[in-house]
Amino acid sequence: MGNKLGRRRQLVDEKYTRPQGLYQHKDVDHKKLRKLILDSKLAPCYPGDDDCTCDLEECPICFLYYPSLNRSRCCTKGICTECFLQMKTPNSTRPTQCPFCKTLNYAVEYRGVKTKEEKGQEQIEEQRVIEAKIRMRQQEIQDEEERMLKRQETGFSNRLLESSEAEYFSPAATSSSEGEEIVSVPNPATFRHPPRNREIRDDEFDLDPENIMLMEAIWLSYQEDNKHKHVNPNYGDATQLAKYATEVRLLASMAPQAGYSPSSSSPSGGLACAIASLAERQQAGGESSTNYNTYGGNLSTYNVHPNHSQTGLLSLDSHLQINDDNSEEIGGTRYGYDGNNDVSRGQYGEFDEAEDSGGGNIVPESFEEQMMLAMAVSLAEARARTSSSTPEAAWI
Amino acid sequence: MTSPSASSRKALSKIATNRLQKELMEWQVNPPAGFKHKVTDNLQRWIIEVNGAPGTLYANEVFQLQVDFPEHYPMEAPQVVFIPPAPLHPHIYSNGHICLDILYDSWSPAMTVSSVCISIVSMLSSSTSKQRPADDERYVKNCRNGRSPKETRWWFHDDKV
């Protein structure tokens, strides 16, 4: 049962039972704090590290790295003990809000060092944020291109649709006189992509099926590669991933292009998106299929369990008062998230520790590679952006 | 009332300095779309160039934000104002003060300069008319001695724009 050692009574060096001086704490009951830390109700006050050397977690408030953090009860976001102590505004009559999700009566609990599953889940969420950012950028690029297209002469559309060469619209054309020309007769071709209301991601790719298949093949072979070296999926793979990303871009640029492609102003915008989506699909479905249209965003496939741990709960408003810990035994092995209606978050249930490293569940394993790939692509994109000589493209 | 000028403010605490350095590093890798940090050696005051988002009323307009950080950032909110000429917006006063709850009552230490910038561009982007707040003249007159917007008692009544 993993990290259950010292669950009730934590072996903490005396000096880590008091604040390390990150803040000038006012009215902290040091005796109480010490007891809470020793009883594993709060994370020890380890001095925060400036850099993420090994397996540390970053406190989202002070940006320092710690071996373990407290979790807010409402949204399970981490916070170090010293920042937590700062959250209660003195002399305030209002109940303290969670700094992350604004829920009233902010309270934290401490579950020790994060389990592998917790880390996996968090990384999945992080990945979604990265993907959403890529999509946003993609959207911006596309909107920009639509505006450019609108300014093209009519009659251009036919050529556009039939042309087999990649169209390159210089971003410099944008700057000329956007304001007045935007009302000119819209080009029929632009209606292929209504600028807003684009919920379904498939619409965002303006790549022909050949390209998509190519990328998928590359992606799969990459996954295949990595199955042989699962032992330590670490960041050393970054260069390889970057290589793959470049490869994808190269292949795509060689392949015949139908219509205009997002690569006209950003060499990898659409590809980044496609790769991100591939990664997402891989992770959601466990394996890939070639049917691009079945992607339905069905990501919340993890078991949902109503019970959640009742480990020591700390409320700021009761001033370090603890709720009774009536289920400590299961508290450590189980964790769950409160039913959270936030759609983007989805609902994750419990994972049995025995389940890990068993077959089938590829989620945490392949995740790092997936994220690295997404990152590599956006890096490549950034590089392409910075190397571009046209200032207009600089902030797309 | 203390003057908000950079020189008279207290220096950043150690934790504020550390956090801002990291925010700046993150910004350099991944700046919010449409924003450019103007390089200075002053960590306590950031000047940020804002490009109006394409397809909005502010497309092709460029503004400047001035962000001043208090000693106890991020426990205290930064002071964020537009350097005049400020965008014409129902929640932005002609002296550059911005009526936006997250800059005052609703600030949370979990927010960053980057997330504030995104809120500001979103506020600009959702505007449907380019006009000053109704009480602009009166408010600006009251602020004439260089009062900080953080000393204003804001009423956040309209969440549409």
Side-chain angles (χ1 to χ4, degrees):
Chain A
M1 286 288 187
N3 54 346
K4 298 294 105 50
L5 267 179
R7 182 69 209 163
R8 281 170 190 284
R9 193 76 180 171
Q10 200 171 206
L11 293 169
V12 182
D13 195 317
E14 193 59 36
K15 66 183 172 217
Y16 300 137
T17 60
R18 50 181 180 262
Q20 303 296 299
L22 204 55
Y23 303 98
Q24 292 158 340
H25 297 280
K26 293 163 211 146
D27 52 57
V28 167
D29 185 338
H30 288 272
K31 229 170 130 186
K32 204 163 188 173
L33 178 66
R34 178 176 174 275
K35 185 173 185 317
L36 288 168
I37 290 172
L38 291 176
D39 289 349
S40 300
K41 310 290 192 214
L42 273 181
C45 294
Y46 293 122
D49 263 12
D50 261 334
D51 305 297
C52 188
T53 40
C54 46
D55 219 9
L56 300 177
E57 282 184 72
E58 187 181 40
C59 168
I61 307 286
C62 61
F63 286 19
L64 295 174
Y65 292 91
Y66 298 88
S68 57
L69 296 175
N70 309 291
R71 313 248 153 259
S72 50
R73 198 199 170 195
C74 38
C75 59
T76 71
K77 281 272 193 295
I79 188 169
C80 74
T81 296
E82 287 190 71
C83 286
F84 174 69
L85 293 173
Q86 288 288 302
M87 290 300 129
K88 171 86 182 163
T89 36
N91 315 323
S92 169
T93 50
R94 287 193 306 177
T96 307
Q97 283 185 319
C98 169
F100 306 102
C101 70
K102 302 267 175 186
T103 301
L104 289 178
N105 299 313
Y106 177 49
V108 298
E109 50 196 7
Y110 180 56
R111 300 168 179 156
V113 177
K114 260 198 220 167
T115 64
K116 201 176 165 192
E117 288 81 8
E118 276 176 299
K119 281 180 192 164
Q121 288 299 346
E122 236 162 62
Q123 284 175 323
I124 286 166
E125 283 192 24
E126 265 173 50
Q127 187 192 18
R128 289 200 188 124
V129 172
I130 290 169
E131 285 161 7
K133 279 183 184 164
I134 292 171
R135 288 200 293 275
M136 258 168 54
R137 194 175 301 159
Q138 170 69 5
Q139 180 70 64
E140 280 162 16
I141 289 164
Q142 219 165 28
D143 284 354
E144 187 56 34
E145 270 170 5
E146 274 157 19
R147 270 188 293 279
M148 273 189 259
L149 266 177
K150 278 182 189 169
R151 283 191 297 276
Q152 305 295 320
E153 295 298 326
T154 43
F156 190 69
S157 57
N158 293 338
R159 195 165 79 83
L160 231 190
L161 292 168
E162 286 159 16
S163 168
S164 63
E165 59 188 317
E167 297 289 349
Y168 187 87
F169 301 130
S170 161
T174 343
S175 62
S176 52
S177 50
E178 176 130 32
E180 54 206 58
E181 288 194 28
I182 201 143
V183 291
S184 67
V185 187
N187 186 314
T190 61
F191 291 126
R192 289 194 305 152
H193 302 281
R196 300 280 167 211
N197 305 329
R198 206 173 288 124
E199 252 94 69
I200 302 163
R201 176 119 49 87
D202 306 77
D203 288 356
E204 291 181 26
F205 307 143
D206 218 35
L207 297 164
D208 62 15
E210 226 173 307
N211 277 357
I212 292 170
M213 279 160 70
L214 258 171
M215 281 186 307
E216 181 140 8
I218 291 167
W219 174 248
L220 284 173
S221 82
Y222 170 72
Q223 292 261 305
E224 203 53 49
D225 274 7
N226 269 309
K227 277 184 189 148
H228 304 303
K229 40 177 179 173
H230 252 342
V231 201
N232 186 18
N234 61 17
Y235 293 92
D237 291 341
T239 44
Q240 202 199 344
L241 282 157
K243 205 191 86 196
Y244 269 102
T246 333
E247 223 170 295
V248 170
R249 278 206 292 138
L250 263 173
L251 280 164
S253 63
M254 289 188 296
Q257 307 258 330
Y260 75 93
S261 108
S263 57
S264 53
S265 72
S266 158
S268 61
L271 290 155
C273 224
I275 290 165
S277 155
L278 279 174
E280 198 171 87
R281 239 156 18 97
Q282 287 256 315
Q283 158 217 309
E287 58 178 73
S288 163
S289 80
T290 41
N291 188 347
Y292 225 66
N293 295 319
T294 53
Y295 176 73
N298 182 21
L299 298 164
S300 319
T301 51
Y302 315 102
N303 298 331
V304 177
H305 250 275
N307 45 345
H308 77 97
S309 87
Q310 307 217 322
T311 42
L313 193 66
L314 266 165
S315 159
L316 269 173
D317 297 306
S318 46
H319 211 70
L320 298 186
Q321 176 203 332
I322 324 156
N323 291 14
D324 262 340
D325 188 346
N326 44 20
S327 60
E328 223 166 39
E329 294 76 22
I330 61 159
T333 50
R334 299 190 152 185
Y335 65 92
Y337 294 81
D338 277 341
N340 189 331
N341 291 329
D342 186 356
V343 191
S344 65
R345 183 183 303 283
Q347 294 191 336
Y348 310 119
E350 307 168 352
F351 282 80
D352 198 335
E353 282 187 23
E355 218 176 46
D356 77 3
S357 79
N361 191 1
I362 61 151
V363 177
E365 264 76 23
S366 59
F367 167 74
E368 271 170 7
E369 295 107 77
Q370 291 170 358
M371 195 168 79
M372 286 309 297
L373 188 57
M375 275 163 57
V377 172
S378 66
L379 268 175
E381 212 174 1
R383 223 173 292 133
R385 243 188 308 143
T386 44
S387 64
S388 159
S389 55
T390 45
E392 284 79 13
W395 73 272
I396 290 174
Chain B
M1 291 282 156
T2 50
S3 152
S5 76
S7 52
S8 69
R9 275 177 304 117
K10 279 197 170 174
L12 295 171
S13 67
K14 192 168 150 256
I15 191 74
T17 306
N18 183 66
R19 209 188 108 139
L20 279 172
Q21 276 165 348
K22 288 194 175 175
E23 277 196 55
L24 191 54
M25 264 157 57
E26 168 61 23
W27 178 295
Q28 278 155 357
V29 179
N30 186 19
F35 291 87
K36 219 167 104 188
H37 172 253
K38 291 192 145 183
V39 183
T40 62
D41 55 359
N42 187 357
L43 194 62
Q44 198 164 8
R45 169 172 285 178
W46 293 20
I47 306 292
I48 296 168
E49 209 174 271
V50 190
N51 285 270
T56 70
L57 290 179
Y58 305 91
N60 297 326
E61 292 184 59
V62 183
F63 309 102
Q64 289 201 322
L65 279 175
Q66 176 178 293
V67 187
D68 286 295
F69 300 94
E71 178 189 8
H72 296 298
Y73 178 81
M75 293 305 154
E76 274 174 52
Q79 178 196 292
V80 185
V81 295
F82 277 102
I83 300 173
L88 269 173
H89 185 283
H91 294 167
I92 301 172
Y93 291 87
S94 49
N95 62 357
H97 290 196
I98 307 165
C99 179
L100 178 62
D101 60 351
I102 58 151
L103 299 178
Y104 314 104
D105 302 23
S106 300
W107 167 256
S108 148
M111 293 173 186
T112 61
V113 185
S114 193
S115 71
V116 165
C117 284
I118 289 165
S119 294
I120 288 173
V121 81
S122 131
M123 171 179 148
L124 285 179
S125 299
S126 56
S127 167
T128 52
S129 69
K130 281 184 157 187
Q131 56 178 41
R132 290 282 174 223
D135 58 342
D136 184 58
E137 205 177 317
R138 184 162 44 95
Y139 177 78
V140 172
K141 212 158 131 192
N142 278 335
C143 292
R144 225 184 269 152
N145 52 358
R147 199 172 70 163
S148 161
K150 290 176 77 181
E151 290 157 19
T152 302
R153 195 173 302 154
W154 295 97
W155 283 54
F156 307 105
H157 44 274
D158 176 10
D159 46 12
K160 283 197 296 292
V161 179

